[in-house]
Amino acid sequence: MNNNIIYFMYFFMYKLELILLNEKNEIKNISFQLDEANTDKPLKEFIKNIILSKCNNINDMNLKISFSNQTNSNNIEYLSNNYLNYKINKVYLPDDLTPEIKQYISSNKNCVYTEPDLCLEIVDNLSNEIFYETIELKSTKTDAIPGSSVQQINPKEWTIFIKHTNNKEIDISTGQYIYALNSRMQFPDRSPRPQVSFNTMKDWNSQHRICKNNEICYLKDPEEILKYELVTNWQQYLINRWIKLLFNEEEYRNTWFNNCLKNFIIQFLDKYEKLTKEQKENFKDKNKG
């Protein structure tokens, strides 16, 4: 991944957030539902047009972004003027993606490929080199919703999160996907889907994205390591949570899955305790991951 593109996206996404907030009255008129199904295609089309018409570069920004680890005063700083050579040339929706672009995206992701909601074609006007950056789009009427399958999550993927209520109130926040994770994990019959939360992302921005005058300072989030563990080591995360549940080390809801887990462990122990010492060792060897 080109480092210049990484930091260009910080400036670009902040500008896009401000523009979308100014377009709330237009977003109110977008349909989030077609017949019986939820659909975000009209929203994708709207954002695509906004990017191409109002946010295809950062040439009008005079902004400094810094990153602080809160342990010393030597912040790493980046100026928007250093990224004026980058321009959004095209915006692709899922149906527009070519096999070549899909291959580019797949080769630059450390997760299972899934078609992005939006894909930016970014051209470097100095070198004529072309880059592709994907954007996740989330919308909710309340707050938390099931996120992507855990194998498909790219924690650093930029995300646009839109909250739309029944009385037509609109709120918008942008940030990297990991900012929206709220550490709750759904356990369906297939791959787990960690929840994402609009309020979690908005709270993250208010606490860790400090905007003052013409400067944005990103403060280090001490919980980020735990969130990365949720994504990258999700099996151990679930095991630890189940052990806490079985030993009543944390409160749990009275759900079918939690009750089934408790009944399973009792019946398992009844059978395991009847095994000989040799059978127990063989059982452990056979079931080691």
Side-chain angles (χ1 to χ4, degrees), residues 176-191:
Q176 293 181 358
Y177 193 94
I178 195 170
Y179 303 167
L181 286 176
N182 69 0
S183 300
R184 291 186 178 273
M185 180 103 73
Q186 300 283 354
F187 191 81
D189 56 351
R190 290 170 293 194
S191 176

Side-chain angles (χ1 to χ4, degrees), residues 9 13 16 20 40 43-44 47 51 92 94 109 111-120 133-139 145-149 152-162 173-178 180 193-194 196 201:
M9 289 298 294
M13 291 301 296
L16 181 58
L20 290 176
D40 56 8
L43 183 59
K44 291 176 185 176
I47 294 175
I51 292 173
Y92 295 93
K109 294 182 75 171
C111 55
V112 175
Y113 173 81
T114 183
E115 288 191 347
D117 293 318
L118 297 164
C119 177
L120 308 180
E133 279 290 316
T134 62
I135 297 177
E136 182 84 3
L137 179 60
K138 297 292 185 186
S139 63
I145 56 175
S148 302
S149 154
Q152 297 174 339
I153 292 175
N154 176 5
K156 290 189 174 295
E157 184 171 31
W158 284 97
T159 302
I160 301 170
F161 215 141
I162 296 181
S173 193
T174 66
Q176 293 181 358
Y177 193 94
I178 195 170
R193 299 177 64 187
V196 289
M201 176 174 279

Side-chain angles (χ1 to χ4, degrees), residues 67-76 217-220:
F67 297 85
S68 172
N69 60 14
Q70 296 179 299
T71 60
N72 59 61
S73 58
N74 297 320
N75 294 354
I76 304 173
C217 183
Y218 282 87
L219 303 180
K220 188 173 181 62

